[in-house]
Amino acid sequence: MTDQSQQPDRNLALELVRSTEAAAIRASAWAGRGQKNEADGAAVNAMRQFLHTVSFDGVVVIGEGEKDKAPMLFNGEHVGDGTGVQVDIAVDPIDGTTQTAAGRPNAVSIMSVADRGSMLDASSVFYMDKIVTDRTGVGVVSLDQSPEDNIRELARAKGKPVGEMTVIVLDRPRHEELIERIRSVGAKTSLILDGDVVGGINAASPWGDADLLIGRGGSPEGVITAAAIKAFDGFMQGRLAPKDDAERQRGIDAGLDVDRIYGGDDLVASDNTFFVGTGVTDGVLLKGVKGPRDGYIHTQSIVLRSKSGTVRWIEADHLASKWA
């Protein structure tokens, strides 16, 4: 157990949200312009710049990739001013670069933080099969069960008809059969183009309009999701999905169990996690960046903290001349 004096404190998240706000504001200038690399680059630069002003010693466990491929916010990079608590940090300056470039909804700038050494580094295996729901799913749903059984059992636990169940799935060719199976039992699907972190929060939160997230998505996003949904005791399981034997071996060499079902506490062991996110474009979780209007840029953010079970919504107006 980490010493209390070395755990990230409640004020840290309010400092970190400045980084997601900055990333979202810079990325929003590229929304709808069809240039996702430029949007991502602007977000990365802004997030990193603000992170280095924060009083903490963070190590990027989940970032933009390895150092030789990503010059900034790469896996293993130290961020912060080097003082204060030591933490793991997972960042995605834009979860939804394609959505941003196309001007579509649900693009967000996100970040999770937890005690040093508590985040699973699953970066050697790109994909993970995931299932996410609220606390009702504990002991009810599992990746070992079929999608049909998971939907029926969760509906029974929630006391609602299967026909009223909504399941979030990434809209990908690999999920065509999964989508058909979900609909075959009478449940509804909510198909998302990208951003299964937001989808997981939607499925696990008390205000969400979905009951379940199922499917294969990025392993890094799975760890970020696990940190986020701890704030409201959400349920999650993940199982790594290597695309070939070579990737499977890379995972084994990295110390991962590619056949294991990882629970939320396996993905992020700390009981004191933070998640911060700021909307880039309008979506189901957050409103996107607005403005400049009347000299101000408006942002909406969310801050989740597991230790206190707190959800905070932050509306901010930024003087546009400071962002020129």
Side-chain angles (χ1 to χ4, degrees), residues 3-14:
D3 184 87
Q4 290 289 333
S5 65
Q6 291 301 309
Q7 288 189 338
D9 65 30
R10 68 191 66 188
N11 294 322
L12 180 60
L14 300 181

Side-chain angles (χ1 to χ4, degrees), residues 134-194:
D134 64 15
R135 68 187 71 178
T136 312
V138 177
V140 174
V141 302
S142 171
L143 286 173
D144 273 338
Q145 296 179 169
S146 69
E148 295 90 340
D149 285 344
N150 279 323
I151 294 167
R152 292 190 190 102
E153 292 302 317
L154 187 61
R156 185 177 294 113
K158 287 191 166 193
K160 61 193 296 187
V162 170
E164 294 181 8
M165 296 287 286
T166 299
V167 183
I168 299 173
V169 184
L170 277 170
D171 192 3
R172 297 287 189 274
R174 64 177 177 269
H175 287 151
E176 287 179 0
E177 180 185 350
L178 173 61
I179 292 167
E180 290 179 5
R181 293 175 69 176
I182 292 168
R183 292 172 176 169
S184 72
V185 297
K188 299 175 288 186
T189 56
S190 175
L191 303 183
I192 57 176
L193 293 173
D194 279 301

Side-chain angles (χ1 to χ4, degrees), residues 201-215:
I201 292 173
N202 190 10
S205 69
W207 65 81
D209 57 4
D211 301 283
L212 193 63
L213 177 140
I214 308 178

Side-chain angles (χ1 to χ4, degrees), residues 108-299:
V108 293
S109 176
I110 56 178
M111 181 186 311
S112 288
V113 171
D115 300 320
R116 177 69 56 81
S118 64
M119 283 187 179
L120 181 72
D121 180 0
S123 57
S124 55
V125 179
F126 189 79
Y127 285 115
M128 174 187 289
D129 292 322
K130 309 170 192 177
I131 186 165
V132 184
T133 185
D134 64 15
R135 68 187 71 178
T136 312
V138 177
V140 174
V141 302
S142 171
L143 286 173
D144 273 338
Q145 296 179 169
S146 69
E148 295 90 340
D149 285 344
N150 279 323
I151 294 167
R152 292 190 190 102
E153 292 302 317
L154 187 61
R156 185 177 294 113
K158 287 191 166 193
K160 61 193 296 187
V162 170
E164 294 181 8
M165 296 287 286
T166 299
V167 183
I168 299 173
V169 184
L170 277 170
D171 192 3
R172 297 287 189 274
R174 64 177 177 269
H175 287 151
E176 287 179 0
E177 180 185 350
L178 173 61
I179 292 167
E180 290 179 5
R181 293 175 69 176
I182 292 168
R183 292 172 176 169
S184 72
V185 297
K188 299 175 288 186
T189 56
S190 175
L191 303 183
I192 57 176
L193 293 173
D194 279 301
D196 66 349
V197 174
V198 170
I201 292 173
N202 190 10
S205 69
W207 65 81
D209 57 4
D211 301 283
L212 193 63
L213 177 140
I214 308 178
R216 183 167 295 180
S219 297
E221 288 81 1
V223 177
I224 295 174
T225 302
I229 67 173
K230 282 181 173 241
F232 25 79
D233 290 335
F235 172 81
M236 179 176 181
Q237 288 182 343
R239 181 168 51 206
L240 297 169
K243 62 183 178 181
D244 53 33
D245 289 341
E247 188 176 55
R248 180 182 179 85
Q249 190 58 52
R250 283 198 298 273
I252 294 171
D253 292 343
L256 299 171
D257 187 341
V258 295
D259 298 312
R260 175 185 178 184
I261 292 178
Y262 288 91
D265 288 336
D266 301 314
L267 297 172
V268 183
S270 172
D271 63 354
N272 190 28
T273 66
F274 293 92
F275 171 87
V276 296
T278 302
V280 178
T281 60
D282 287 344
V284 296
L285 180 64
L286 294 163
K287 296 176 183 176
V289 176
K290 299 293 187 295
R293 293 178 182 171
D294 299 323
Y296 285 89
I297 299 169
H298 185 79
T299 58

Side-chain angles (χ1 to χ4, degrees), residues 44-58:
V44 169
N45 286 333
M47 177 174 281
R48 185 173 184 267
Q49 179 181 352
F50 273 79
L51 276 176
H52 281 301
T53 70
V54 179
S55 297
F56 77 138
D57 179 8

